[in-house]
């Protein structure tokens, strides 16, 4: 099921991720955002590598009960693995992309060079 | 591709829908939100039944280019076919659901009784 993480204070959309039943249960029991990685086919606690966890403030369901919004407090101020505040840091207009969100950290420092 | 429609003024998340290439092209050429309905397997212009169109203010792409945010001006003030301001009108806490968004219109008046 698709999940939108939204900053509980600024209402910025931080990322779109996915949840399976295990991730949903862990969100409820821990209050910390857990997702399911479709590419890696595994459960994933947001921030497990970077430390940038998401504390859940509220959980909302849509009319068809097939999409979720998590209102979260984003630790470290950045949700994206690129270091940008939000994964949606690129805006498309007139056939061009421009960066529309600040870069908060340098991924090389946070994840190390691999 | 999943698409999140967000109110350009209030930053409320209005709905989560899907786009195919045709819907994407129509968004760019018309400036009005078009989606692809997975259940009906057809292209869909938001508001084609209700009149509640979404005028696109900005288009954002995520880091993996596999999710889209549309910042929109929502005609009629409600995005959900239930008449609520947003499809995410239910909040889940302590094992219970409560309604967390106002109802703007009566669906029976907008869509007629079928």
């Amino acid at each position: 099921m698709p999940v939108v993480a939204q900053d509980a204070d600024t209402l910025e959309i931080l990322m779109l991720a996915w949840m399976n039943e295990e991730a949903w249960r862990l969100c409820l029991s821990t209050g910390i955002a857990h997702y399911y990685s479709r590419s890696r086919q595994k459960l994933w606690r947001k921030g497990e590598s970077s430390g940038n966890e998401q504390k859940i403030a509220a959980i909302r369901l849509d009319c068809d009960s097939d999409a979720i919004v998590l209102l979260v407090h984003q630790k470290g101020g950045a949700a994206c693995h690129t270091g940008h505040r939000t994964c949606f840091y690129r805006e498309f207009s007139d056939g061009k992309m421009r960066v529309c969100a600040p870069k908060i950290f340098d991924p090389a420092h946070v994840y190390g060079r691999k």
Side-chain angles (χ1 to χ4, degrees), chain A:
Chain A
M1 208 186 275
V3 185
V4 186
Q6 183 178 29
D7 190 290
D9 298 315
T10 65
L11 300 185
E12 281 169 285
I13 294 178
L14 298 174
M15 55 191 276
L16 187 141
W18 304 83
M19 252 187 222
N20 62 0
E21 210 171 309
E22 193 184 359
W24 168 257
R25 275 199 298 264
L26 282 164
C27 284
L28 293 184
S29 62
T30 66
I32 301 293
H34 288 70
Y35 301 105
Y36 178 76
S37 167
R38 296 191 306 169
S39 56
R40 289 179 289 151
Q41 300 201 328
K42 65 183 281 252
L43 191 88
W44 161 59
R45 182 170 56 77
K46 169 69 187 159
E48 64 189 10
S49 309
S50 65
N52 294 339
E53 285 185 344
Q54 294 175 337
K55 196 171 170 207
I56 299 171
I59 299 176
R60 294 186 183 156
L61 281 186
D62 80 345
C63 47
D64 303 322
S65 296
D66 60 8
I68 299 170
V69 164
L70 291 186
L71 286 157
V72 302
H73 296 289
Q74 174 66 59
K75 202 169 155 184
C80 187
H81 73 286
T82 62
H84 290 89
R85 168 127 192 82
T86 157
C87 291
F88 294 92
Y89 65 90
R90 295 176 302 164
E91 196 160 296
F92 185 80
S93 68
D94 299 327
K96 284 183 210 145
M97 291 282 198
R98 65 173 192 88
V99 171
C100 63
K103 195 156 181 171
I104 308 289
F105 67 77
D106 177 352
H109 288 152
V110 169
Y111 299 101
R113 299 187 187 277
K114 282 169 192 167

